């Protein structure tokens, strides 16, 4: 540990951001990476804590103390090597991960945790700047072919790992561009798509083939039959997302102006990419209500504000969490506490313990919501008598999460077993990890575990790749 007393000498430094008034005028990233000196000081805050709980708090088990120390010493290139040893895409996680590692940081017991995410961001950006991130081409080929269905973080991680040990990998993506949720779910102001594009270029140089606009198991004329893939490839990995959104089935749900978040967000990403989107859902000049208090809801808030919404209100059915968690009870686990995103700071009215009972329309268009206050004191939701009211709304965005992968098409044709939640059944314990009940078919990411974080998807893709390599070759040098 380069600076044993650093955590006592230095304060946590949060990455600077462009002021809200100016960043609302564009869709570019607005968080400014730490300077070398700032990152070195933040790395010095990493204490010699004996048991680095940050490692286990991180789903990919990043070797965080090591690269913190390397950054403190100015050895950036080696820090990048250590970072990449556990995470294929720190350029994604360094921007959009909620940083469970920081919640688990030992310093977080009684003070501000180490700014792990900001250091990760700085390392990988310097790696691209200096040209240290290059293709890692396998020296020998195995002759085995693997199909990866889905090009989100799980599919990309699995594909890259398998290509690097010599397998011929083809990634099938039903959309017109690679990236899955990274491409069409996360706004550009959080993750500019150039970060996906240069990783795709790296992977193509490593031998990965990408086929876009090809839905495996779909019904369109250009759909790829499942039987063809099973005949052509030695193994298949299903790594699509949990794309079935949670709906709000109340009177008026069919009114014009009530949309799922994932009808709204991808359209703006397409426009940013230069596409023309006829009849784009716009929040301009409208009273917007976002139902759902998670990250997707926050993304709807930020995008609506950039459209020039008249007002943005966000409802959450659960009660408002405490502003500060009880660390003695929650550490090192992920705490339940009030989280205010950059999109909230740009302009949003947030309200908790509110349930929507009806969408009220006029001439077929939504004009208001009928809502009621709810009480959770008895451990279940109870409506508070006399608390019903109407909230004006011209656009309602449903961002209440996702319940499962889409069953029609791919999963039905593969005849894979599903678990009680509707996800693809594939264990991560014992022999045959990530294997489904169908021979040579594996599952990883949200399609297997349900809606989760990008960092969990990367972990699952990496681990699934090792199991596929082990299945194909009888042994594997890929990390578990």
């Amino acid at each position: 540990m380069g600076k044993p007393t650093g955590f006592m000498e230095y304060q946590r430094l949060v990455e600077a951001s462009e002021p809200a008034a100016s960043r609302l005028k564009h869709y570019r990233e607005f968080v400014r990476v730490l300077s070398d000196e700032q990152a070195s000081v933040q790395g010095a805050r990493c204490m010699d804590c004996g048991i680095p709980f940050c490692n286990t708090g991180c789903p990919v088990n990043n070797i965080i103390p090591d690269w913190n120390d390397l950054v403190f010493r100015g050895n950036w290139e080696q820090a990048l090597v250590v970072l990449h040893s556990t995470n294929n895409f720190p350029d994604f996680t360094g921007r959009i991960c909620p940083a469970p590692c920081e919640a688990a940081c030992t310093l977080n017991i009684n003070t501000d945790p180490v700014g792990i995410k900001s250091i990760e961001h700085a390392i990988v950006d310097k790696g691209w700047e200096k040209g240290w991130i290059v293709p890692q081409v396998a020296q020998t080929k195995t002759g085995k072919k693997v199909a990866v269905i889905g090009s989100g973080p799980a599919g990309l991680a699995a594909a890259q790992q398998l290509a690097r040990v010599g397998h011929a990998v083809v990634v099938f993506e039903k959309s017109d561009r690679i990236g899955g949720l990274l491409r069409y779910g996360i706004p550009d102001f959080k993750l500019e798509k150039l970060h996906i594009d240069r990783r795709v270029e790296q992977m193509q140089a490593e031998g990965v083939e990408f086929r876009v606009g090809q839905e495996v198991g779909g019904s369109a004329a250009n759909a790829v039959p499942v039987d063809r893939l099973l005949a052509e490839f030695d193994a298949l990995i299903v790594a699509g997302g949990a794309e079935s959104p949670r709906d709000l089935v109340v009177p008026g749900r069919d009114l014009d102006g009530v949309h799922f978040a994932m009808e709204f967000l991808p359209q703006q990403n397409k426009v940013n990419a230069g596409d023309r989107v006829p009849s784009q859902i716009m929040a301009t000049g409208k009273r917007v209500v976002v139902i759902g208090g998670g990250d997707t809801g926050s993304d709807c808030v930020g995008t609506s504000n950039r459209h020039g919404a008249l007002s943005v209100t966000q409802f959450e059915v659960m009660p408002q969490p405490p502003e500060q968690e009880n660390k003695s009870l929650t550490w090192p686990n992920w705490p339940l506490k009030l989280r205010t995103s950059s999109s909230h700071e740009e302009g949003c009215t947030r309200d908790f313990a509110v349930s929507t009972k009806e969408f009220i329309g006029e001439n077929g268009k939504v004009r208001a919501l009928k809502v009621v206050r709810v009480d959770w004191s008895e451990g279940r939701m109870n409506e508070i008598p006399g608390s019903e009211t109407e909230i004006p709304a011209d656009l309602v965005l449903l961002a209440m999460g996702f319940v499962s992968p889409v069953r029609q098409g791919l999963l039905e044709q593969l005849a894979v077993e599903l678990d009680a939640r509707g996800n693809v059944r594939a264990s991560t314990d014992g022999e045959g990890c990530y294997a489904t009940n169908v021979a040579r078919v594996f599952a990883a990411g949200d399609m297997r575990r349900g809606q989760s974080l990008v960092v969990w998807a990367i972990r699952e893709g990496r681990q699934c790749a090792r199991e596929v390599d082990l299945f194909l070759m009888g042994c594997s040098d890929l990390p578990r």
Side-chain angles (χ1 to χ4, degrees):
M1 192 58 56
K3 187 71 169 176
T5 59
F7 70 97
M8 295 186 291
E9 298 176 32
Y10 306 123
Q11 300 299 311
R12 176 184 169 98
L13 177 65
V14 178
E15 292 172 307
S17 296
E18 181 182 349
S22 60
R23 71 188 190 226
L24 283 174
K25 299 176 182 178
H26 61 76
Y27 291 89
R28 300 184 303 276
E29 291 178 15
F30 53 80
V31 174
R32 301 189 176 107
V33 68
L34 298 179
S35 68
D36 290 7
E37 181 180 357
Q38 289 171 334
S40 176
V41 169
Q42 292 308 295
R45 295 190 69 239
C46 187
M47 60 191 296
D48 189 8
C49 57
I51 300 176
F53 287 92
C54 56
N55 289 152
T56 52
C58 172
V60 294
N61 303 125
N62 276 330
I63 312 170
I64 293 163
D66 289 32
W67 43 260
N68 280 343
D69 184 56
L70 288 164
V71 167
F72 165 69
R73 298 176 183 275
N75 193 343
W76 289 84
E77 189 169 4
Q78 186 59 32
L80 181 67
V81 171
V82 175
L83 179 55
H84 271 145
S85 70
T86 56
N87 185 355
N88 296 67
F89 310 118
D91 20 12
F92 305 160
T93 52
R95 287 169 165 80
I96 60 175
C97 184
C101 55
E102 294 187 10
C105 175
T106 301
L107 275 181
N108 194 43
I109 295 174
N110 63 348
T111 186
D112 293 328
V114 174
I116 299 167
K117 179 179 172 181
S118 63
I119 299 172
E120 178 181 15
H121 185 183
I123 294 171
V124 70
D125 276 22
K126 183 170 286 292
W128 285 110
E129 175 191 337
K130 296 292 187 180
W132 296 333
I133 300 176
V134 296
Q136 299 178 30
V137 182
Q139 296 303 304
T140 58
K141 302 297 183 181
T142 65
K144 303 292 185 180
K145 297 178 65 178
V146 182
V148 177
I149 303 170
S151 69
L156 292 178
Q160 185 166 62
Q161 292 292 92
L162 289 166
R164 286 178 173 179
V165 291
H167 301 305
V169 182
V170 179
V171 176
F172 292 85
E173 171 54 55
K174 64 183 179 182
S175 296
D176 59 345
R177 294 182 177 91
I178 295 297
L181 182 68
L182 296 168
R183 175 75 64 177
Y184 287 133
I186 297 172
D188 289 19
F189 55 80
K190 290 174 64 176
L191 179 73
E192 290 185 39
K193 307 318 172 197
L194 67 92
H195 305 295
I196 305 172
D197 295 339
R198 59 188 180 187
R199 284 296 183 181
V200 169
E201 291 176 5
Q202 179 194 32
M203 292 173 65
Q204 287 174 324
E206 293 169 345
V208 177
E209 179 185 347
F210 293 96
R211 299 181 188 176
V212 298
Q214 298 196 20
E215 183 174 3
V216 179
S219 57
N222 63 341
V224 181
V226 168
D227 290 346
R228 194 186 95 193
L229 293 194
L230 289 171
E232 182 180 348
F233 292 88
D234 299 295
L236 274 65
I237 298 175
V238 290
E243 295 181 300
S244 296
R246 181 173 286 106
D247 205 349
L248 183 58
V249 184
V250 297
R253 171 62 182 87
D254 58 346
L255 287 169
D256 184 22
V258 181
H259 302 276
F260 286 119
M262 290 305 294
E263 295 175 310
F264 175 69
L265 294 173
Q267 291 186 349
Q268 187 58 54
N269 285 1
K270 287 178 176 289
V271 170
N272 294 345
D275 294 351
R276 183 176 177 273
V277 178
S279 303
Q280 181 186 358
I281 302 167
M282 295 295 294
T284 311
K286 295 179 180 178
R287 298 163 297 182
V288 179
V289 174
V290 179
I291 300 178
D295 287 341
T296 303
S298 171
D299 294 343
C300 289
V301 170
T303 302
S304 296
N305 279 325
R306 281 162 177 76
H307 282 184
L310 182 64
S311 64
V312 182
T313 303
Q314 185 176 25
F315 287 145
E316 168 59 55
V317 72
M318 299 301 294
Q320 181 173 327
E323 292 191 10
Q324 180 62 54
E325 75 273 27
N326 186 335
K327 293 184 178 182
S328 63
L329 291 178
T330 61
W331 181 89
N333 297 317
W334 183 249
L336 175 66
K337 67 177 183 178
L338 182 66
R339 301 177 191 278
T340 299
S341 72
S342 59
S343 292
H344 294 141
E345 294 169 350
E346 292 164 359
C348 175
T349 299
R350 304 166 73 185
D351 206 351
F352 296 84
V354 177
S355 177
T356 301
K357 300 197 64 164
E358 181 182 354
F359 299 116
I360 302 170
E362 189 173 295
N363 299 322
K365 296 184 178 181
V366 68
R367 68 165 182 82
L369 287 74
K370 181 184 289 186
V371 301
V372 63
R373 295 281 172 186
V374 295
D375 175 64
W376 291 89
S377 60
E378 297 180 0
R380 63 180 185 276
M381 188 179 80
N382 292 307
E383 294 183 3
I384 299 175
S387 65
E388 283 191 10
T389 187
E390 286 190 13
I391 304 296
D394 308 302
L395 174 63
V396 180
L397 301 171
L398 306 180
M400 302 177 297
F402 302 86
V403 293
S404 68
V406 175
R407 301 183 187 186
Q408 294 76 25
L410 171 64
L411 300 186
E412 284 184 347
Q413 291 184 28
L414 278 174
V416 290
E417 290 182 358
L418 305 178
D419 63 20
R421 297 186 299 155
N423 302 318
V424 178
R425 186 185 300 280
S427 174
T428 58
D429 298 320
E431 295 185 7
C433 289
Y434 293 94
T436 70
N437 63 300
V438 179
R440 301 186 290 118
V441 177
F442 297 76
D446 286 7
M447 188 167 272
R448 190 203 70 83
R449 67 177 287 118
Q451 176 190 352
S452 191
L453 304 175
V454 167
V455 68
W456 271 108
I458 294 172
R459 171 196 172 103
E460 294 233 335
R462 287 172 60 88
Q463 291 187 340
C464 183
R466 185 184 190 280
E467 296 302 321
V468 171
D469 187 38
L470 185 62
F471 166 75
L472 294 174
M473 307 302 294
C475 60
S476 180
D477 292 329
L478 289 173
R480 177 69 173 84

